Protein backbone atom coordinates (compact mmCIF):
# COMPACT_ATOMS: atom_id res chain seq x y z
CA UNK A 1 0.00 0.00 0.00
CA UNK A 2 1.09 3.57 -0.59
CA UNK A 3 -0.16 6.94 0.61
CA UNK A 4 -1.45 9.47 -1.96
CA UNK A 5 -0.82 13.19 -1.76
CA UNK A 6 -4.36 13.62 -0.46
CA UNK A 7 -3.72 11.27 2.41
CA UNK A 8 -5.65 8.39 0.83
CA UNK A 9 -4.29 4.92 0.07
CA UNK A 10 -3.75 3.27 -3.31
CA UNK A 11 -2.58 -0.26 -3.98
CA UNK A 12 0.87 -0.51 -5.52
CA UNK A 13 0.80 -0.95 -9.28
CA UNK A 14 -2.68 0.56 -9.78
CA UNK A 15 -2.57 3.27 -12.42
CA UNK A 16 -5.22 6.00 -12.12
CA UNK A 17 -7.35 6.58 -15.22
CA UNK A 18 -6.86 10.19 -16.28
CA UNK A 19 -7.45 10.20 -20.02
CA UNK A 20 -10.15 9.31 -22.51
CA UNK A 21 -10.15 8.20 -26.13
CA UNK A 22 -8.94 10.95 -28.45
CA UNK A 23 -11.05 11.08 -31.61
CA UNK A 24 -9.97 12.14 -35.06
CA UNK A 25 -11.37 15.54 -36.13
CA UNK A 26 -13.76 13.95 -38.61
CA UNK A 27 -15.14 11.61 -35.95
CA UNK A 28 -15.55 14.48 -33.51
CA UNK A 29 -17.44 16.53 -36.10
CA UNK A 30 -19.63 13.55 -37.02
CA UNK A 31 -20.47 12.86 -33.37
CA UNK A 32 -21.32 16.53 -32.73
CA UNK A 33 -23.55 16.78 -35.79
CA UNK A 34 -25.28 13.50 -34.93
CA UNK A 35 -26.03 14.79 -31.44
CA UNK A 36 -27.47 17.95 -32.97
CA UNK A 37 -29.89 15.86 -35.05
CA UNK A 38 -30.85 13.32 -32.41
CA UNK A 39 -31.01 15.97 -29.67
CA UNK A 40 -33.40 18.15 -31.65
CA UNK A 41 -31.06 21.10 -32.09
CA UNK A 42 -31.84 20.74 -35.79
CA UNK A 43 -35.38 19.62 -36.61
CA UNK A 44 -36.66 17.39 -39.40
CA UNK A 45 -36.39 19.16 -42.75
CA UNK A 46 -34.09 21.89 -41.40
CA UNK A 47 -30.97 22.71 -43.38
CA UNK A 48 -27.47 22.49 -41.93
CA UNK A 49 -25.25 25.56 -42.10
CA UNK A 50 -23.07 25.72 -45.22
CA UNK A 51 -19.89 23.62 -45.28
CA UNK A 52 -17.74 26.76 -45.04
CA UNK A 53 -19.61 27.91 -41.94
CA UNK A 54 -19.37 24.48 -40.30
CA UNK A 55 -15.66 24.38 -41.09
CA UNK A 56 -15.26 27.76 -39.37
CA UNK A 57 -17.28 26.66 -36.32
CA UNK A 58 -15.31 23.42 -35.87
CA UNK A 59 -11.96 24.91 -36.96
CA UNK A 60 -11.45 22.07 -39.46
CA UNK A 61 -11.12 21.83 -43.23
CA UNK A 62 -14.12 21.63 -45.58
CA UNK A 63 -13.15 18.07 -46.69
CA UNK A 64 -13.43 17.02 -43.03
CA UNK A 65 -16.94 18.51 -42.90
CA UNK A 66 -17.89 16.76 -46.15
CA UNK A 67 -16.69 13.40 -44.80
CA UNK A 68 -18.72 13.83 -41.61
CA UNK A 69 -21.86 14.80 -43.55
CA UNK A 70 -21.42 11.84 -45.89
CA UNK A 71 -21.28 9.52 -42.87
CA UNK A 72 -24.55 10.97 -41.55
CA UNK A 73 -26.13 10.54 -44.98
CA UNK A 74 -25.11 6.87 -45.02
CA UNK A 75 -26.72 6.48 -41.59
CA UNK A 76 -29.98 7.92 -42.94
CA UNK A 77 -29.89 10.97 -40.68
CA UNK A 78 -29.55 13.59 -43.42
CA UNK A 79 -30.23 13.95 -47.13
CA UNK A 80 -28.16 15.99 -49.54
CA UNK A 81 -29.91 18.16 -52.12
CA UNK A 82 -27.73 19.38 -55.03
CA UNK A 83 -27.97 22.70 -56.84
CA UNK A 84 -29.08 26.18 -55.90
CA UNK A 85 -31.09 26.16 -52.71
CA UNK A 86 -29.72 22.72 -51.88
CA UNK A 87 -27.53 21.58 -49.03
CA UNK A 88 -27.71 19.02 -46.24
CA UNK A 89 -31.14 18.59 -44.62
CA UNK A 90 -32.20 16.65 -41.54
CA UNK A 91 -33.98 13.48 -42.59
CA UNK A 92 -37.09 12.25 -40.82
CA UNK A 93 -35.97 9.87 -38.06
CA UNK A 94 -38.90 7.53 -37.55
CA UNK A 95 -39.98 3.95 -38.27
CA UNK A 96 -40.73 4.70 -41.92
CA UNK A 97 -37.36 6.27 -42.65
CA UNK A 98 -35.72 3.36 -40.82
CA UNK A 99 -37.44 0.95 -43.21
CA UNK A 100 -36.27 2.92 -46.25
CA UNK A 101 -32.68 3.07 -45.01
CA UNK A 102 -32.57 -0.65 -44.18
CA UNK A 103 -34.17 -1.49 -47.51
CA UNK A 104 -31.54 0.39 -49.50
CA UNK A 105 -28.69 -1.22 -47.58
CA UNK A 106 -30.01 -4.78 -47.91
CA UNK A 107 -31.00 -4.27 -51.55
CA UNK A 108 -27.41 -3.32 -52.36
CA UNK A 109 -26.06 -6.32 -50.43
CA UNK A 110 -28.35 -8.69 -52.34
CA UNK A 111 -27.35 -7.20 -55.70
CA UNK A 112 -23.65 -7.38 -54.80
CA UNK A 113 -24.02 -11.01 -53.74
CA UNK A 114 -23.07 -10.38 -50.11
CA UNK A 115 -26.52 -11.70 -49.13
CA UNK A 116 -28.54 -14.29 -51.02
CA UNK A 117 -32.18 -13.88 -51.93
CA UNK A 118 -33.03 -16.99 -49.91
CA UNK A 119 -31.41 -15.61 -46.76
CA UNK A 120 -33.57 -12.51 -46.99
CA UNK A 121 -36.69 -14.51 -47.92
CA UNK A 122 -36.34 -16.81 -44.89
CA UNK A 123 -36.12 -13.87 -42.49
CA UNK A 124 -39.09 -12.27 -44.27
CA UNK A 125 -41.12 -15.37 -43.55
CA UNK A 126 -40.10 -15.34 -39.88
CA UNK A 127 -41.42 -11.76 -39.63
CA UNK A 128 -44.38 -11.76 -42.01
CA UNK A 129 -46.12 -14.76 -40.48
CA UNK A 130 -46.54 -13.15 -37.02
CA UNK A 131 -47.32 -9.79 -38.66
CA UNK A 132 -50.27 -11.39 -40.48
CA UNK A 133 -51.50 -12.93 -37.22
CA UNK A 134 -51.30 -9.54 -35.48
CA UNK A 135 -53.01 -7.87 -38.42
CA UNK A 136 -55.98 -10.23 -38.00
CA UNK A 137 -56.34 -9.00 -34.42
CA UNK A 138 -55.65 -5.29 -34.92
CA UNK A 139 -57.06 -4.55 -38.39
CA UNK A 140 -59.79 -2.01 -38.94
CA UNK A 141 -62.49 -2.03 -41.61
CA UNK A 142 -60.47 0.62 -43.48
CA UNK A 143 -57.42 -1.68 -43.39
CA UNK A 144 -59.39 -4.56 -44.88
CA UNK A 145 -60.81 -2.27 -47.56
CA UNK A 146 -57.27 -1.19 -48.48
CA UNK A 147 -56.12 -4.80 -48.86
CA UNK A 148 -59.14 -5.66 -51.00
CA UNK A 149 -58.45 -2.64 -53.21
CA UNK A 150 -54.84 -3.74 -53.76
CA UNK A 151 -55.89 -7.29 -54.64
CA UNK A 152 -58.55 -5.95 -56.99
CA UNK A 153 -55.85 -3.93 -58.75
CA UNK A 154 -53.68 -7.03 -59.01
CA UNK A 155 -56.51 -9.05 -60.57
CA UNK A 156 -57.12 -6.33 -63.17
CA UNK A 157 -53.50 -6.24 -64.41
CA UNK A 158 -51.59 -8.63 -66.63
CA UNK A 159 -48.47 -10.30 -65.23
CA UNK A 160 -46.17 -8.15 -67.38
CA UNK A 161 -47.62 -4.89 -66.06
CA UNK A 162 -44.75 -2.85 -64.51
CA UNK A 163 -46.98 -1.98 -61.52
CA UNK A 164 -47.30 -5.62 -60.41
CA UNK A 165 -44.13 -5.63 -58.22
CA UNK A 166 -45.19 -2.34 -56.58
CA UNK A 167 -48.69 -3.67 -55.82
CA UNK A 168 -47.16 -6.79 -54.28
CA UNK A 169 -44.90 -4.64 -52.08
CA UNK A 170 -47.89 -2.50 -51.04
CA UNK A 171 -49.87 -5.61 -50.09
CA UNK A 172 -47.21 -7.06 -47.79
CA UNK A 173 -46.26 -3.68 -46.30
CA UNK A 174 -49.92 -2.88 -45.56
CA UNK A 175 -50.32 -6.13 -43.61
CA UNK A 176 -47.20 -5.37 -41.58
CA UNK A 177 -48.52 -1.88 -40.81
CA UNK A 178 -51.78 -3.44 -39.57
CA UNK A 179 -49.79 -5.48 -37.05
CA UNK A 180 -49.61 -2.35 -34.90
CA UNK A 181 -45.88 -2.85 -34.34
CA UNK A 182 -43.91 -0.11 -36.10
CA UNK A 183 -40.54 -1.86 -35.79
CA UNK A 184 -42.00 -5.02 -37.31
CA UNK A 185 -43.55 -2.95 -40.10
CA UNK A 186 -40.22 -1.27 -40.85
CA UNK A 187 -38.36 -4.57 -41.02
CA UNK A 188 -40.96 -6.23 -43.25
CA UNK A 189 -40.91 -3.20 -45.56
CA UNK A 190 -37.12 -3.31 -45.77
CA UNK A 191 -36.88 -7.05 -46.34
CA UNK A 192 -39.62 -7.12 -48.95
CA UNK A 193 -38.22 -4.17 -50.90
CA UNK A 194 -34.71 -5.64 -50.73
CA UNK A 195 -35.74 -9.01 -52.12
CA UNK A 196 -38.49 -7.83 -54.52
CA UNK A 197 -39.79 -11.42 -54.82
CA UNK A 198 -42.21 -10.83 -57.69
CA UNK A 199 -39.39 -9.37 -59.77
CA UNK A 200 -37.51 -12.67 -59.48
CA UNK A 201 -40.50 -14.78 -60.52
CA UNK A 202 -41.03 -16.21 -63.98
CA UNK A 203 -44.49 -14.65 -63.96
CA UNK A 204 -46.67 -16.77 -66.20
CA UNK A 205 -50.44 -16.16 -66.14
CA UNK A 206 -50.79 -19.30 -64.01
CA UNK A 207 -48.29 -18.07 -61.41
CA UNK A 208 -50.02 -14.68 -61.41
CA UNK A 209 -53.41 -16.28 -60.75
CA UNK A 210 -52.03 -18.44 -57.93
CA UNK A 211 -50.39 -15.53 -56.14
CA UNK A 212 -53.57 -13.42 -56.39
CA UNK A 213 -55.66 -16.32 -55.04
CA UNK A 214 -53.21 -16.69 -52.17
CA UNK A 215 -53.50 -12.98 -51.45
CA UNK A 216 -57.29 -13.32 -51.41
CA UNK A 217 -57.07 -16.11 -48.82
CA UNK A 218 -54.80 -13.96 -46.66
CA UNK A 219 -57.26 -11.05 -46.85
CA UNK A 220 -60.19 -13.30 -46.03
CA UNK A 221 -58.46 -14.60 -42.88
CA UNK A 222 -57.45 -11.10 -41.73
CA UNK A 223 -60.95 -9.75 -42.39
CA UNK A 224 -62.41 -12.59 -40.31
CA UNK A 225 -60.02 -11.82 -37.44
CA UNK A 226 -58.70 -15.40 -37.65
CA UNK A 227 -55.02 -15.29 -36.62
CA UNK A 228 -54.39 -18.99 -37.18
CA UNK A 229 -55.89 -18.88 -40.68
CA UNK A 230 -53.89 -15.72 -41.50
CA UNK A 231 -50.67 -17.44 -40.39
CA UNK A 232 -51.47 -20.52 -42.47
CA UNK A 233 -52.42 -18.48 -45.56
CA UNK A 234 -49.34 -16.28 -45.57
CA UNK A 235 -47.05 -19.24 -44.81
CA UNK A 236 -48.48 -21.05 -47.84
CA UNK A 237 -47.96 -17.94 -49.98
CA UNK A 238 -44.37 -17.25 -48.90
CA UNK A 239 -43.40 -20.91 -49.18
CA UNK A 240 -44.83 -20.98 -52.70
CA UNK A 241 -42.83 -17.89 -53.69
CA UNK A 242 -39.58 -19.29 -52.33
CA UNK A 243 -40.14 -22.65 -53.98
CA UNK A 244 -40.98 -21.13 -57.35
CA UNK A 245 -37.99 -18.80 -57.28
CA UNK A 246 -35.71 -21.72 -56.37
CA UNK A 247 -37.03 -23.65 -59.36
CA UNK A 248 -36.31 -20.68 -61.63
CA UNK A 249 -32.79 -20.38 -60.17
CA UNK A 250 -32.17 -24.13 -60.67
CA UNK A 251 -33.22 -23.79 -64.30
CA UNK A 252 -30.78 -20.90 -64.66
CA UNK A 253 -28.00 -23.13 -63.30
CA UNK A 254 -28.90 -25.59 -66.07
CA UNK A 255 -28.55 -22.94 -68.76
CA UNK A 256 -31.91 -21.13 -68.68
CA UNK A 257 -31.98 -17.36 -68.25
CA UNK A 258 -32.81 -16.08 -64.77
CA UNK A 259 -35.31 -13.21 -64.69
CA UNK A 260 -33.63 -9.94 -63.76
CA UNK A 261 -35.02 -8.03 -60.74
CA UNK A 262 -36.49 -4.63 -61.58
Amino acid sequence: MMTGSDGGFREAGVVPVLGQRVLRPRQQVEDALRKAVLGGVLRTGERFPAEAELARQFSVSRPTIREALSALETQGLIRKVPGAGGGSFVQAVDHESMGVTLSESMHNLVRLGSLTFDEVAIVRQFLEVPSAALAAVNRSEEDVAELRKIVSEQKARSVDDPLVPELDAQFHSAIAQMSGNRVLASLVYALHRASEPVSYLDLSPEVGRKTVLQHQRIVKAIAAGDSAAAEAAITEHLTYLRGHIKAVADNADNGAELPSPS
Side-chain angles (χ1 to χ4, degrees):
M1 300 286 287
M2 61 181 289
T3 303
S5 59
D6 60 355
F9 289 91
R10 183 185 302 134
E11 292 184 9
V14 175
V15 179
V17 178
L18 304 177
Q20 59 183 358
R21 184 168 63 98
V22 177
L23 300 175
R24 292 180 295 131
R26 195 225 24 105
Q27 185 66 56
Q28 289 178 310
V29 173
E30 179 188 334
D31 288 349
L33 295 179
R34 186 188 299 107
K35 288 178 181 177
V37 173
L38 299 179
V41 176
L42 292 172
R43 296 183 293 275
T44 298
E46 192 169 353
R47 181 166 56 185
F48 276 77
E51 288 181 2
E53 172 60 18
L54 288 173
R56 186 192 67 78
Q57 291 181 16
F58 284 100
S59 297
V60 297
S61 66
R62 289 182 66 175
T64 296
I65 295 296
R66 280 194 289 272
E67 289 177 11
L69 291 172
S70 293
L72 295 186
E73 184 180 29
T74 300
Q75 296 161 25
L77 293 176
I78 69 170
R79 58 187 173 86
K80 291 187 176 181
V81 179
S88 298
F89 294 82
V90 179
Q91 184 69 279
V93 183
D94 55 23
H95 69 286
E96 292 179 356
S97 60
M98 181 177 77
V100 172
T101 301
L102 288 172
S103 173
E104 292 172 352
S105 298
M106 282 190 285
H107 185 74
N108 290 334
L109 290 173
V110 170
R111 283 184 175 274
L112 291 170
S114 301
L115 294 175
T116 67
F117 175 90
D118 205 47
E119 285 178 302
V120 177
I122 288 171
V123 177
R124 271 190 63 220
Q125 186 156 337
F126 287 155
L127 296 178
E128 287 204 51
V129 171
S131 75
L134 287 170
V137 175
N138 297 321
R139 90 288 180 274
S140 65
E141 292 302 319
E142 291 78 13
D143 291 333
V144 173
E146 180 185 358
L147 288 180
R148 286 174 174 156
K149 180 180 178 182
I150 294 171
V151 173
S152 178
E153 282 282 334
Q154 290 175 319
K155 288 175 63 178
R157 297 182 182 276
S158 60
V159 293
D160 58 353
D161 191 304
L163 280 178
V164 167
E166 177 59 28
L167 288 169
D168 185 68
Q170 288 178 15
F171 180 81
H172 288 270
S173 295
I175 291 173
Q177 290 281 358
M178 293 173 201
S179 73
N181 186 307
R182 291 175 295 179
V183 175
L184 182 58
S186 296
L187 293 173
V188 169
Y189 174 94
L191 291 164
H192 191 283
R193 297 280 176 167
S195 61
E196 297 182 78
V198 171
S199 298
Y200 287 85
L201 288 172
D202 183 14
L203 274 180
S204 65
E206 179 188 1
V207 173
R209 283 193 296 271
K210 282 188 176 180
T211 55
V212 170
L213 286 172
Q214 290 165 0
H215 281 186
Q216 287 177 315
R217 284 196 285 273
I218 295 168
V219 175
K220 181 179 179 180
I222 291 174
D226 190 333
S227 296
E231 282 189 0
I234 201 163
T235 298
E236 176 196 14
H237 175 56
L238 296 175
T239 302
Y240 172 78
L241 291 179
R242 283 182 57 213
H244 192 78
I245 293 167
K246 185 178 185 304
V248 173
D250 289 343
N251 287 337
D253 290 340
N254 293 328
E257 185 177 353
L258 182 66
S260 175
S262 59

